[in-house]
Amino acid sequence: MVLRAVVFDLDYTLAVVSRDRSTLLAEASKSVDIPVEFSREEYGAAHQRAHAHETRGPIFAELLDTDDAGEALAEAYRNAIAESLE
């Protein structure tokens, strides 16, 4: 068998989740007791500024103005997405 392509799914962009990401973020936020007070647009803008990172930690850290909470929320959100994959 000859390989014809290699596909990477960076940050679950090709994966389908069973619930919308806003709901998953709200659930993740609640699970780590970190209130999310930013809009989807603010998240998108921070994501664009962050460029490539291994986690969403720096993005959430910017939005929450704290590194520790950013990493905690990033991990909880990643887990919520993973558990919701179809």
Side-chain angles (χ1 to χ4, degrees):
M1 179 172 100
V2 176
L3 290 178
R4 294 179 182 237
V6 176
V7 178
F8 293 94
D9 183 4
L10 303 173
D11 200 20
Y12 300 111
T13 54
L14 301 176
V16 176
V17 290
S18 60
R19 292 171 292 150
D20 68 272
R21 289 179 184 253
S22 294
T23 299
L24 295 173
L25 179 58
E27 291 172 359
S29 168
K30 186 175 180 180
S31 76
V32 291
D33 198 28
I34 298 172
V36 171
E37 299 175 354
F38 51 85
S39 69
R40 194 78 181 136
E41 291 78 20
E42 290 169 310
Y43 172 82
H47 197 284
Q48 293 255 322
R49 286 189 300 274
H51 301 291
H53 286 285
E54 285 188 33
T55 74
R56 290 182 178 88
I59 298 164
F60 290 135
E62 176 187 331
L63 293 165
L64 299 169
D65 201 29
T66 172
D67 289 339
D68 292 341
E71 286 300 329
L73 182 55
E75 182 176 349
Y77 186 47
R78 181 176 48 253
N79 291 338
I81 290 172
E83 291 169 6
S84 184
L85 291 176
E86 294 185 339

